[in-house]
């Protein structure tokens, strides 16, 4: 017993250390070394020879004096192996597996808090034959713990428990149970009037006297679960799209997180956001926008697996929670959705047909919900920045994502813009991704949200434009923005030498005299942009 206590203490100390790492996100090699050193000594002194040996082998590769920074994410496997030296008790493992299974299958599961093992296991077996998973807690403390972590669909509580009484449990869970529409049934050998009144006053939905007649009890439970499901669905479904609403998202997310923390099974979060959706509303009106949201949701609902969850996260933002799915497999599903969406032509009376695309950010659950959400958000942002209509998996130190070149064409002549845009859009070099953007004048360009400090820009700037002359735009650029990531080439009809000198003095890297052949511009751009990627 004392031996086990020591193990529990050591496991707790280790988990505390991991938690502080998760918060810091990075640790130094020295910190890891010292941690392993302590773990090695302590595990050896309490008889955990395997663990001591493992720590010693890890220590051989580390240095006590190194300040090298290690991202905590890269220690995932190490943390997993360390945790495995502390096996969980079999009962906890089975319970959590049951719950995880129920959640993944979208089936119901109920929690029975009762120390009458015979009764509880009889109900468990019978209900499981009817497709309902059952988790049993033999005392109140365990029951409360399971109620919070596993979020059952129904709770059955006996009034007399070894460590507390059923009313104490009710007092603690009834508010939360009510907000989630979780029915609570009391069962007791003592079905006195006082007990029944008290149970109902405190929020129980039913009171059932023991001994229980199974012939009635099973249909009763199935009835309650069905009722709960119906209410829950209507309260947690987004009316417009049929996807789960934000509230259901929060619930499912925390449920999957707590199961994953216990069973170490993985799941992935995907945030999907429609591209340029504001334009859809602006051009075709809100009812059309609504129809697009509905069609997109139906497409996702019909494409995802039954075990995946789909939610409307905000206006035109959606989320998927994918149990047991690493990010690379999540991408397969998303790309399948993308492919199907690309084939849908939206047609509405009196409007030209149009297509919509979406961008997606992907992150695997690892540390906690907040981090996962923020990582998926960052990846989505990256997907938008990379030019939209694509999926990005969150990378811890994503300085190493493929380099980009943003080719910006600013010209009031539609034909010139189109000609250049076609030329650059077909450019697909291996070492970088090319994104082309067009603007009809300098003012529109400067007022847009075009600039990101860690991006590279090749700006093709017309010299003479309405509203703002090309030279003015150039001067503004050179004054307000750094020039190491922005190359500017003036497109000018002015053959006047002084204009060209002025442009070069104002910070243009090159000039191209109109009329030009797009291939000539292309060749020059290839040469000019070399300086961006030295
Ligand atoms: P981005 O590619 O950067 O995501 O651009 P965007 O235009 O999609 O994004 P932005 O956030 O600028 O605009 C989102 C728009 O979605 C604005 C809002 O009016 C619209 N929207 C939000 N909810 C609804 C809805 O329920 N129905 C309709 N029709 N439009 C909605
Ligand atoms: Mg959008």
């Amino acid at each position: 017993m004392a031996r086990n206590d020591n193990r529990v203490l050591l496991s707790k100390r280790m988990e505390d250390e991991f938690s502080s790492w998760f918060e810091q996100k990075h640790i130094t090699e020295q910190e890891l070394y010292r941690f392993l050193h302590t773990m090695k000594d302590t595990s050896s002194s309490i008889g955990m020879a395997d663990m001591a040996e493992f720590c010693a082998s890890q220590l051989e590769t580390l240095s006590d004096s190194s300040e090298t920074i290690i991202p905590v994410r890269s220690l995932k496997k190490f943390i997993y192996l360390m945790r495995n030296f502390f096996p969980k008790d079999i009962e906890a493992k089975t319970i959590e597996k049951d719950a995880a299974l129920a959640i993944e299958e979208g089936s119901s599961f109920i929690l029975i808090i009762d120390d009458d093992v015979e009764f509880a296991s009889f109900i468990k077996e019978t209900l499981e034959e009817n497709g309902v998973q059952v988790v049993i807690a033999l005392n109140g403390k365990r029951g409360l713990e399971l109620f919070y972590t596993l979020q059952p669909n129904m709770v059955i509580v006996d009034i007399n428990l070894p460590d507390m009484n059923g009313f104490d449990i009710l007092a603690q869970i009834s508010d939360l149970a009510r907000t989630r529409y979780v029915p609570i049934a009391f069962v007791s050998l003592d079905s006195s009037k006082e007990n029944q009144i008290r149970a109902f006053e405190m929020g129980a939905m039913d009171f059932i006297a023991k001994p229980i007649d199974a012939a009635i009890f099973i249909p009763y439970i199935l009835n309650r679960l069905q009722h709960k499901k119906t209410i829950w669905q209507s309260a947690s479904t987004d009316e417009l799209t049929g996807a789960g609403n934000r509230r259901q998202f929060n619930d499912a997310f925390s449920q999957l997180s707590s199961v994953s923390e216990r069973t170490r099974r993985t799941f992935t979060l995907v945030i999907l956001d429609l591209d340029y959706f504001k334009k859809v509303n602006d051009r075709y009106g809100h009812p059309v926008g609504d129809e697009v949201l509905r069609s997109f949701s139906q497409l996702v609902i019909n494409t995802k697996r039954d075990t995946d969850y789909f939610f409307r996260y905000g206006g035109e933002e959606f989320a998927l929670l994918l149990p047991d799915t690493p990010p690379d497999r999540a991408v397969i599903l998303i790309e399948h959705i993308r492919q199907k969406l690309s084939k849908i032509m939206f047609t509405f009376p009196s409007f030209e047909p149009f297509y919509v695309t979406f961008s997606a950010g992907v992150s695997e659950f690892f540390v906690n919900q907040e981090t996962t959400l923020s990582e998926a958000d960052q990846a989505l942002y990256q997907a938008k920045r990379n030019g939209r209509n694509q999926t990005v998996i969150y990378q811890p130190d994503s300085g190493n994502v493929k380099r980009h070149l943003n080719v910006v064409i600013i010209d009031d002549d539609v034909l010139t813009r189109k000609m250049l845009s076609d030329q650059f859009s077909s450019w697909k070099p291996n070492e970088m991704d090319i994104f082309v953007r067009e603007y009809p004048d300098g003012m529109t360009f400067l007022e847009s949200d075009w600039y990101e400090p860690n991006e590279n820009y090749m700006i093709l700037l017309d010299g003479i434009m309405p509203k703002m002359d090309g030279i003015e735009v150039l001067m503004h650029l050179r004054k307000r923005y750094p020039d190491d990531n922005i190359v500017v080439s003036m497109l000018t009809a002015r053959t006047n030498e002084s204009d060209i000198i002025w442009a070069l003095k104002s910070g243009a890297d090159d000039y191209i005299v109109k009329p030009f052949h797009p291939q000539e511009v292309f060749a020059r751009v290839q040469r000019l942009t070399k300086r961006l990627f030295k």
Side-chain angles (χ1 to χ4, degrees), residues 409 414-428 436 438 518 522:
I409 304 162
V414 184
L415 270 179
T416 309
R417 287 207 308 269
K418 177 155 186 356
M419 201 164 69
L420 289 173
S421 166
D422 288 348
Q423 180 74 41
F424 284 102
S425 301
S426 57
W427 184 23
K428 308 255 182 258
V436 183
E438 303 170 33
F522 181 57

Side-chain angles (χ1 to χ4, degrees), residues 273-274 316 384:
D273 185 294
L274 295 178
E316 28 81 73
K384 292 278 180 188

Side-chain angles (χ1 to χ4, degrees), residues 395-451:
Q395 308 284 355
D397 292 304
S398 62
N400 53 6
V401 282
K402 202 169 174 185
R403 291 182 294 193
H404 305 157
L405 175 64
N406 296 281
V407 178
V408 179
I409 304 162
I410 311 168
D411 200 316
D412 57 328
D413 179 359
V414 184
L415 270 179
T416 309
R417 287 207 308 269
K418 177 155 186 356
M419 201 164 69
L420 289 173
S421 166
D422 288 348
Q423 180 74 41
F424 284 102
S425 301
S426 57
W427 184 23
K428 308 255 182 258
N430 282 334
E431 70 284 5
M432 58 186 171
D433 286 324
I434 309 294
F435 303 106
V436 183
R437 268 182 277 172
E438 303 170 33
Y439 298 90
D441 59 75
M443 197 84 99
T444 314
F445 164 65
L446 291 174
E447 280 171 7
S448 73
D449 211 355
W450 67 278
Y451 184 72

